[in-house]
Structures are given as C-alpha cells and as structure tokens.
Amino acid sequence: MTTSHYIPATDMTKLTRAAPYAMSILLLPLAWACAVMGGWTVILLPVFTWYLFVALDFAVGLDPDNADPETDDDDLFWYRAITIAWAPLQFITLFGMIWYVAPAEHLGTLEKLVLFFGVGAITGTVGINYAHELMHQRSKLERWCADALLAMVLYSHFRSEHMLVHHRYVGTPRDTVTARMGESFYRFYPRVLKESLISAWRAEKDMLARKDLPWSDLSNPFFKYWALQGTFLVLAFALGGWAGLGLFLLQAGVAVWQLELVNYIEHYGLTRKHLGEGKYEHVHPRHSWNATHRASNWLLINLQRHSDHHYKPDRRFPVLQNHTEADAPQLPYGYPVMTMAAMVPRVWKRVMHPRVRAWRDMYYPEITDWSAYNKATNPRPR
C-alpha cells in the first residue's frame, strides 16, 4: 500500500518540485524536430504524448501525497508560470509550424497529416487541459490565456459550458458531459459536440437575461469566442494558404476528440441521487473517477485528481487533494490508458461496468432501479 505524505507550503515554493509538470513543454521542440526531419519521425508526437507517459506511470508508480491546501498563490509561482507560459509557446509552435509545414517540399501529404495529428494530440492533451486550469482562475491574464488556447482548437464555448453548466449540474440529466452507463464513446461524442454548444449558448443567454440584457449585448462572451476563432482561422490561411487552413482544422479536430475522450471517462456512470421534484444531492468526491498515477498527473497537471477539483473548483492544480478509495472511485490506470480503452467499447465495459456497479452498491444500496439514471430520464434539476 502506498503511503501518503503531507507537503508543507514552504516546500511548494521550490522549482524542483514544480519542474516535473513542465515536462510537457519538451513536446514543442520535438514537434519542430519532427517537422524538420520528416519521414518516420512524424509519428513521434502522439507516441511521446501518450505512450511515454504510460511507460513512466508504470516506472514511477503512484503519487498519494497531498500539499497543504491553504498554500498561498505566491508560493505557487513556478506552477502558475508553467501554465501561463504554455499559451504563447503553443501559439508560436502551432502557427510557426503551419507556416513551415504547409509549403514544405521535403514532407509528403501523408507526413503533413500525421504530423498535425500529433500537433492536435499536444493542443488537446496539454493545451485544452491547461486552458481548463487557467479558466478557473480570477486573474484576467490567466483567463485570457485560457480563451486563446481554446480558440486555437475552435472550442471556445467549452469555457461557458464547463463553468456555468458542468460544475453545477454534473451527474444530472442536465449535464451533457456526464457519460451514461452503457453509452459508448461513439454515441457520447456526437451527442456532446451538439449538446454542449447549445448548452453553453443557453447558459450565457440566460445569464444575460437575468441582467435584463439581450443575447446580442456585447458582454456575451460568444462574441469574443467568434472573434478569436475567426482571427486564428484567417491567420492559418494567411500563413499556409488552403493547406495551412486544413492543417489547422485537423489539429483542432484531434484536440477536441482528446478533450471529449477525457470528459467521457471522468464521470462515466457516476450520477447524483435524485431527491425528488428535480432536486439532487450535493456534489461529493464520489461523483468523479480518480487516478493517482504520478507521471500522467505530471502531463495533465493533476487533472486526474478530479474529485477534489469538483469538490473545490477554485483550488489550483498543485494543491488538489488525493481522495482514496474510501471517499472516491478509482480508475485502474491513468487517463492515457483509460482513453485508449474507451475507444474499444467491449474492453471499456469489461473494465468499468463492474466498478460502476460496485460504486452503486457502496453508496446507493437503496436504489434498486437505475434505468432512469442510465438513460438520463430523471427530472432535470431545478
């Protein structure tokens, strides 16, 4: 059994403790090296982004340690610097590579496509994840960086949907990204692409209506979303022509696929109890799947400590607490392995359905009919 240790705030100021979370930055020079060298090297980006950290998970094991949750932001300088720095670094790499790769004669069409598939693995696995961390912060700079990162993958509405809908309604029929028991990823994905956009728009429109403002008011963030996304589309075309625009769209599609794969596994089958008349129990750590695998948490800046993120959404990633199996359900492997399993429904169900059933028996033995939860047909929350 892995022993947990307490990390005092004074230790969190050390660069050496934050450094492992910066490993993702090494993927950016690798992307450039693949673009310059071409050939078989173009497959290295997804290989390193996914499989390297899988191997590291098995090598370095679990990380049950918890930092002082009251650690001041000033003591987290290096952690904050990593997430803020990623936005300009991704911008330079993404658009620099479009400018370089689109007309490159030493790269064939297939090489370019595989290369930008790998770029999408980076902008999705790392970029959107960093955007998720940054959008939860109060700093205008950090929120602006989050918007820029999301616009680079044409998924700006994720901020509205995540902040206004997902956190409030997770585990209920109103949360589109809570994957239903028995729902394969191939059913989940098209449903979420459609419903999350509609949900985000309605949430912002309703918020404006409560202020007696129309949806067309310029404070509607969708105007900023459209402006940023349009700017990046025009920039991609200006730098690489139609080929550059196509490569930009390819990486954006891969990035969104990566995001929704993670969304799929984070709450699969975990629903909040309906208390009657559209009222649901409060969110608890047990309503998210956790993984305490050390290396994949370096890559994903502790996203796998998802129970604590929903329990305390304003906590920065270095101080997210690890919840053990006594308080929250645990995944057998880190997200990189579990997302691969999610792409094979038979494997996914074989791994996850016994765990979901055990979770239901543990927390809700009084519920004997789960059909309404499985189909999300319970009353929508008030």
Side-chain angles (χ1 to χ4, degrees):
M1 182 175 178
T2 306
T3 304
S4 174
H5 299 285
Y6 169 79
I7 305 172
T10 51
D11 281 5
M12 298 300 290
T13 62
K14 299 176 181 177
L15 174 59
T16 52
R17 186 169 287 279
Y21 294 98
M23 288 177 65
S24 300
I25 295 176
L26 298 177
L27 295 170
L28 300 180
L30 174 62
W32 279 105
C34 294
V36 171
M37 297 175 65
W40 66 269
T41 66
V42 297
I43 68 171
L44 292 179
L45 279 180
V47 168
F48 273 73
T49 305
W50 300 330
Y51 300 108
L52 172 63
F53 284 90
V54 170
L56 286 174
D57 268 343
F58 285 101
V60 301
L62 306 179
D63 177 22
D65 297 346
N66 285 322
D68 181 354
E70 301 302 320
T71 302
D72 190 84
D73 270 10
D74 291 339
D75 294 327
L76 301 175
F77 170 82
W78 291 113
Y79 299 92
R80 292 162 54 205
I82 291 168
T83 54
I84 292 173
W86 180 266
L89 290 173
Q90 178 175 301
F91 175 86
I92 293 169
T93 298
L94 174 59
F95 290 102
M97 287 188 63
I98 288 174
W99 168 80
Y100 177 78
V101 170
E105 295 182 356
H106 70 288
L107 295 171
T109 300
L110 181 59
E111 290 170 278
K112 294 177 182 180
L113 294 175
V114 173
L115 181 63
F116 268 76
F117 178 93
V119 171
I122 297 174
T123 57
T125 304
V126 183
I128 296 181
N129 189 37
Y130 280 34
H132 169 256
E133 169 72 12
L134 292 163
M135 72 171 69
H136 276 280
Q137 310 310 322
R138 297 177 182 176
S139 158
K140 289 184 179 179
L141 172 62
E142 288 173 293
R143 291 191 175 192
W144 191 93
C145 287
D147 284 337
L149 287 169
L150 292 175
M152 283 184 235
V153 295
L154 304 179
Y155 219 57
S156 297
H157 67 275
F158 173 66
R159 176 165 74 88
S160 294
E161 195 281 332
H162 184 82
M163 301 292 287
L164 301 180
V165 183
H166 177 60
H167 270 276
R168 183 175 181 181
Y169 299 112
V170 63
T172 75
R174 193 166 175 177
D175 179 41
T176 188
V177 298
T178 296
R180 303 158 188 172
M181 176 75 158
E183 181 181 35
S184 74
F185 176 72
Y186 299 99
R187 289 183 178 272
F188 170 86
Y189 188 46
R191 178 177 66 78
V192 168
L193 289 180
K194 175 185 175 182
E195 292 181 5
S196 64
L197 178 59
I198 295 172
S199 177
W201 174 261
R202 285 177 177 168
E204 294 292 357
K205 183 180 177 181
D206 291 346
M207 180 173 286
L208 288 168
R210 288 193 289 272
K211 300 176 183 178
D212 294 322
L213 295 172
W215 70 265
S216 56
D217 189 85
L218 292 180
S219 62
N220 187 337
F222 270 80
F223 290 112
K224 178 168 63 173
Y225 300 163
W226 294 332
L228 279 171
Q229 291 177 169
T231 298
F232 289 152
L233 285 167
V234 170
L235 181 58
F237 181 78
L239 292 172
W242 291 111
L245 182 61
L247 293 174
F248 178 82
L249 293 173
L250 171 61
Q251 67 80 31
V254 174
V256 171
W257 165 60
Q258 287 290 284
L259 165 66
E260 297 303 353
L261 264 174
V262 170
N263 274 335
Y264 177 75
I265 69 175
E266 284 176 336
H267 305 281
Y268 180 83
L270 306 183
T271 48
R272 287 152 63 187
K273 183 179 179 180
H274 180 227
L275 304 177
E277 299 181 349
K279 186 176 181 180
Y280 287 80
E281 65 176 318
H282 291 297
V283 178
H284 295 287
R286 63 175 173 264
H287 294 120
S288 304
W289 290 102
N290 283 287
T292 189
H293 298 75
R294 189 185 302 270
S296 47
N297 268 328
W298 289 339
L299 173 69
L300 300 171
I301 53 173
N302 283 343
L303 181 66
Q304 298 174 140
R305 295 188 169 196
H306 208 59
S307 286
D308 201 54
H309 171 64
H310 273 273
Y311 187 56
K312 296 287 184 180
D314 58 340
R315 278 183 181 160
R316 290 186 181 271
F317 79 87
V319 295
L320 287 173
Q321 303 294 287
N322 177 54
H323 290 269
T324 67
E325 60 274 7
D327 302 308
Q330 307 293 312
L331 293 171
Y333 305 103
Y335 282 12
V337 172
M338 297 308 296
T339 52
M340 285 183 262
M343 295 296 294
V344 187
R346 287 187 179 181
V347 173
W348 176 256
K349 291 178 181 180
R350 189 179 305 123
V351 172
M352 292 303 298
H353 282 201
R355 289 174 167 81
V356 174
R357 286 191 284 267
W359 175 87
R360 290 175 170 180
D361 291 341
M362 178 177 182
Y363 291 106
Y364 305 102
E366 71 280 9
I367 300 177
T368 57
D369 184 2
W370 286 92
S371 56
Y373 292 91
N374 293 343
K375 298 177 182 178
T377 56
N378 276 328
R380 291 170 67 84
R382 295 184 298 184

